[in-house]
Amino acid sequence: MNRRRRIYEGKAKILYEGPEPGTLVQHFKDDATAGNGAKHEIIDGKGVLNNRISEFIFDKLNGLNIPTHFMRRLNMREQLIREVEIIPLEVVVRNVAAGSLCKRLGLESGTPLPRSIIEFYYKDDKLNDPLVAEEHITAFGWASPQELDDIMSLAIRVNDFLSGLFMGVGIQLIDFKIECGRLFEGDMMRIVVADEISPDSCRLWDIKTRNKLDKDRFREDMGGLVDAYREVAQRLGILVESENALATGPRLVK
Ligand code: UDP
């Protein structure tokens, strides 16, 4: 049925050749993985929700002149994106201590950080995505000093926007991960936000209850992942809260 050329398949997404040169189709799967693939499950409906939530966020970022690879959503599971050269870094911004930071530095989860912290992890599954310093990034040429400046400035702008967006719907943005890519336009190259931004790549806590509305529900075997993602989508106004939303799955608006 699928005659498009598959360019790349990752743990949660597939990239296909796009309809025009310089474009790709990003397909969201229902696969959830953790611990570098050690834990793997199919969670019905996750891909559809992440496609919608990521579309909503990237569309708003584009509107704020924060450049991204996102062009438009094509259908329930797919979006049209610009082809970029992915920089092999996971760029993590943290506002509150959680996850690997707590393990590494012995902090209690939930401790507010004195200021937002940006970290870089080198994307390499064989090495388990190790934490790296700016020195490694520039010495090994994964990104130039100028590119690293651009990446950090994008990360801070995304953090400011996302923190406010989620705060407005009663959710605290604990931390998140972005990936960046080089977008070539004629002789020009600029760094843009790529990949996805969704509850798979953010830690989102309900401000009042501290309930986790993100992938930690899967990592920590808490259950209720799709309900949590649906809750995020509903609060953002992407899904209409309908009486039988849980019985019928997400009801899409727009
Ligand atoms: N993250 C991600 N992909 C990864 C690793 C981390 O999207 O491969 C996100 C994660 O969801 C969290 C943030 O980056 O929002 C920081 O994750 P952390 O370093 O605490 O790692 P973890 O505890 O997930 O191992």
Side-chain angles (χ1 to χ4, degrees), residues 11 90-94 98-101 103-104 119 121 129 175-177 199-203 215-216 219:
K11 294 179 197 119
E90 302 210 328
V91 181
V92 169
V93 183
R94 302 180 182 275
S100 69
L101 181 71
K103 284 197 206 122
R104 196 177 315 117
E119 294 174 340
Y121 295 82
D129 298 347
D175 58 31
F176 66 94
K177 183 265 301 186
D200 266 9
S201 57
C202 301
R203 283 198 171 90
K215 201 172 134 184
D216 273 350
R219 295 189 188 99

Side-chain angles (χ1 to χ4, degrees), residues 53-160:
I53 294 170
S54 199
E55 170 203 14
F56 179 86
I57 291 171
F58 274 79
D59 195 48
K60 291 247 183 315
L61 293 175
N62 284 340
L64 291 167
N65 280 324
I66 300 175
T68 81
H69 72 164
F70 179 80
M71 296 171 78
R72 64 189 163 83
R73 184 169 60 82
L74 296 171
N75 55 51
M76 296 279 274
R77 286 191 182 272
E78 295 179 330
Q79 42 186 247
L80 185 67
I81 58 169
R82 288 181 205 286
E83 185 170 21
V84 300
E85 188 178 283
I86 289 287
I87 292 168
L89 297 173
E90 302 210 328
V91 181
V92 169
V93 183
R94 302 180 182 275
N95 300 305
V96 174
S100 69
L101 181 71
C102 294
K103 284 197 206 122
R104 196 177 315 117
L105 299 184
L107 296 169
E108 193 183 331
S109 180
T111 312
L113 297 172
R115 63 175 172 81
S116 303
I117 293 174
I118 305 181
E119 294 174 340
F120 302 100
Y121 295 82
Y122 179 52
K123 264 170 73 79
D124 186 329
D125 282 343
K126 289 193 293 300
L127 300 175
N128 258 320
D129 298 347
L131 178 71
V132 292
E134 289 180 41
E135 284 283 285
H136 302 107
I137 297 169
T138 53
F140 293 116
W142 300 325
S144 70
Q146 174 61 55
E147 287 174 335
L148 208 42
D149 275 357
D150 292 349
I151 291 169
M152 284 194 276
S153 132
L154 281 178
I156 291 164
R157 292 169 73 196
V158 172
N159 186 43
D160 288 347

